[in-house]
Amino acid sequence: MTQRSAAVLELDDIQRGLLQARPSPYAGTYLLLRIADRDAGRRLIQRLLPHVASAAAPMDRPDGASLSVGFTHEGLKALGLPPETLESFALEFREGMAARAAHLGDTGRSSPEHWEPPLGTSDVHVALAVLAPDEARLDGLRQRARRAHEDLPGDEVVWRQQCYQLPSGRTSFGFKDVIGQPAVEGSGVPPTNPHEPPIKAGEFVLGYPDETGSLPPMPTPEVLGRNGTYMVVRKLHTRVAAYRQYLRARARSREEEALLGAKIVGRWPSGAPLALAPEKDDPDLGADDRRNNGFAYADDLQGFKCPAGAHARRANPRDALDYEGSTEVRLHRMLRRGTSYGPMLPAGVLEDDGADRGIVFVFLGTHIDRQFEFVKTQWLNDGVFIGAPDERDPLTGPNHGSERFTIPRRPIRRRLEEMPPFVITRGGEYCFVPGLRALRWLGGLET
Ligand code: HEM
């Protein structure tokens, strides 16, 4: 089926966390639950439902809190869905993240055998994200979520992760994150990059045409698939001390240390993009949400301002791949809802304090394979697309200590050699995030 007109999104049936940005700052908890059987799962969903807001709901709830709900394939099995329904989901979701580990580059210390239990096992069924603007309000919602499951026999919390976003928006390596986001056509959320027209809703919400003009494959029956999406959750440990030591050893001055860090990320710590601030950080630009995502790369194809291999440029090359009318980049966009976990390593400390810290990375989109997996495997983990086969993403790529990172520079380029891994995967899950009507259907309240 081919359609080109803008779709009208059924906002009142879409979970709010899919389309609306999170409050900033915020405190949150991710909970993973195991359900014993269909009845236990249905009771849990019935209790959670009143707390799940739609994308049409006003943002000004008195407590500013929100709850999002997703299910793994094992969870949908535990809910007793029939085989034809279970098989109607995308292959990679059915297989689960652990089964895709080698493809994703989750090997060595990042491989599933080292993951935090029970991540990647058949014990993970339901994923809850509970968020609020601060700890006090979070506690209120957490208690309501707890009451929803604690006296239910057959529901068990199997994993819990506290998370937060600092008022500065910075995460553990010291950089402001989650600035670059696509605008979703019809969502009502305005674009932040004037160089990128809104992306078709079907790239992010099932039931609408995507960038190819077709409806993305949708799980059946329609009541289950429509207005849902897929979610990727990854707990990523960041080796902050190793990162700081690496830069200190390679830089001739503190200024150069900051520059090398920015070249690795593609932005300065404040969030100012190298494309607009190539020489030094510009905190006003970084803080200005109307300007800090308004840039392109086509005037810098050689990467003198922002290296083609920098993390953010690999993850979204913007117009740098636009040749002969190609708009391929639009097929690989992702909504991200990343968040920090663990204590920050104090500024200036170079020794590892042994604390577990990093990011709970969250991707939302209708195509796990051509969005999340493609970006992770082709653009972040592989050097071929930027013409450097022996290079990977210097920030998050599966480096082993022998890879390099090229920084174009006149008169001669700079090369960082022996890139160690700065990010270790602690585990993750592929989930399905149903629409609200689908949640009622899963809870046995709707046919
Ligand atoms: C611990 C792991 C990670 C860290 C510390 C990290 C950090 C960052 C930072 C600081 C930025 C710049 C801010 C922004 O543009 O929003 C960024 C951008 C981005 N990252 Fe990551 N990231 C991580 C993992 C990932 C992964 C696994 C993916 C995808 C598979 C990813 C995809 C993106 C995308 C799509 C952008 C936006 C690029 C743009 O639109 O210009 N990141 N990341």
Side-chain angles (χ1 to χ4, degrees), residues 171-173 175-182 234 236-238 265-268 271 292-293 295 297 311-318 332-334 336 358-359 361 363 371-373 375-377 380 393 395-396 422-424:
T171 56
S172 55
F173 287 125
F175 291 82
K176 183 168 169 173
D177 199 356
V178 195
I179 308 168
Q181 296 276 26
R234 279 164 81 73
L236 300 173
H237 168 74
T238 50
V265 172
R267 290 185 185 262
W268 295 92
N292 62 14
N293 197 37
F295 64 94
Y297 294 121
H311 169 70
R313 183 161 171 173
R314 283 172 171 267
N316 178 14
R318 302 186 179 221
H332 309 296
R333 301 292 284 122
M334 52 179 80
R336 289 174 301 140
I359 280 180
F361 170 91
F363 152 93
Q371 294 171 320
F372 167 71
E373 288 194 347
V375 171
K376 178 76 181 111
T377 60
L380 298 184
D393 176 11
L395 187 70
T396 73
F422 295 129
V423 173
I424 308 289

Side-chain angles (χ1 to χ4, degrees), residues 48-375:
L48 292 172
L49 256 165
H51 308 293
V52 184
S54 80
M59 285 298 283
D60 53 354
R61 263 178 66 127
D63 58 2
S66 79
L67 174 69
S68 305
V69 185
F71 299 86
T72 62
H73 198 244
E74 290 295 328
L76 296 175
K77 263 190 219 165
L79 275 169
L81 296 189
E84 63 274 19
T85 297
L86 292 167
E87 278 157 29
S88 68
F89 284 88
L91 173 71
E92 55 283 355
F93 168 71
R94 284 185 273 144
E95 290 188 348
M97 190 188 293
R100 318 276 294 175
H103 177 55
L104 292 172
D106 288 333
T107 55
R109 290 164 69 188
S110 290
S111 66
E113 71 208 73
H114 299 298
W115 285 6
E116 238 176 71
L119 297 174
T121 72
S122 56
D123 280 338
V124 180
H125 295 164
V126 184
L128 303 183
V130 187
L131 300 169
D134 52 50
E135 272 296 332
R137 282 177 278 187
L138 174 65
D139 208 44
L141 185 64
R142 218 163 20 205
Q143 283 177 20
R144 291 203 294 281
R146 193 176 302 134
R147 278 197 294 276
H149 65 73
E150 70 186 354
D151 59 336
L152 290 178
D155 291 322
E156 184 194 349
V157 175
V158 290
W159 188 80
R160 192 186 296 268
Q161 179 66 60
Q162 300 292 104
C163 62
Y164 59 95
Q165 189 189 352
L166 292 174
S168 63
R170 295 187 186 200
T171 56
S172 55
F173 287 125
F175 291 82
K176 183 168 169 173
D177 199 356
V178 195
I179 308 168
Q181 296 276 26
V184 182
E185 197 178 83
S187 68
V189 179
T192 55
N193 180 8
H195 306 281
E196 183 184 67
I199 306 283
K200 291 281 174 214
E203 293 290 322
F204 306 105
V205 191
L206 290 165
Y208 305 89
D210 66 15
E211 282 289 323
T212 67
S214 310
L215 290 172
M218 194 166 79
T220 52
E222 183 171 342
V223 61
L224 173 62
R226 189 166 181 82
N227 292 319
T229 199
Y230 292 104
M231 174 170 76
V232 172
V233 184
R234 279 164 81 73
K235 181 172 176 182
L236 300 173
H237 168 74
T238 50
R239 299 179 62 231
V240 179
Y243 166 82
R244 289 182 187 171
Q245 287 167 20
Y246 181 85
L247 290 186
R248 183 65 53 92
R250 263 107 192 138
R252 285 174 283 264
S253 65
R254 293 296 164 87
E255 288 72 32
E256 195 187 28
E257 201 176 307
L259 180 67
L260 294 180
K263 294 280 187 188
I264 283 176
V265 172
R267 290 185 185 262
W268 295 92
S270 74
L274 281 177
L276 300 180
E279 307 292 337
K280 59 179 174 51
D281 201 352
D282 180 346
D284 289 340
L285 172 61
D288 187 343
D289 295 342
R290 286 162 305 147
R291 290 193 296 141
N292 62 14
N293 197 37
F295 64 94
Y297 294 121
D299 67 337
D300 181 33
L301 289 178
Q302 287 175 296
F304 288 116
K305 290 193 276 185
C306 178
H311 169 70
R313 183 161 171 173
R314 283 172 171 267
N316 178 14
R318 302 186 179 221
D319 57 346
L321 300 188
D322 286 359
Y323 42 84
E324 295 172 3
S326 154
T327 51
E328 193 206 321
V329 168
R330 295 173 67 81
L331 301 178
H332 309 296
R333 301 292 284 122
M334 52 179 80
L335 286 170
R336 289 174 301 140
R337 303 278 183 256
T339 187
S340 294
Y341 77 87
M344 293 289 158
L345 188 65
V349 174
L350 266 68
E351 292 310 311
D352 188 13
D353 60 359
D356 188 14
R357 60 174 59 85
I359 280 180
V360 179
F361 170 91
V362 173
F363 152 93
L364 293 160
T366 52
H367 300 275
I368 293 181
D369 54 350
R370 81 159 152 76
Q371 294 171 320
F372 167 71
E373 288 194 347
F374 181 92
V375 171

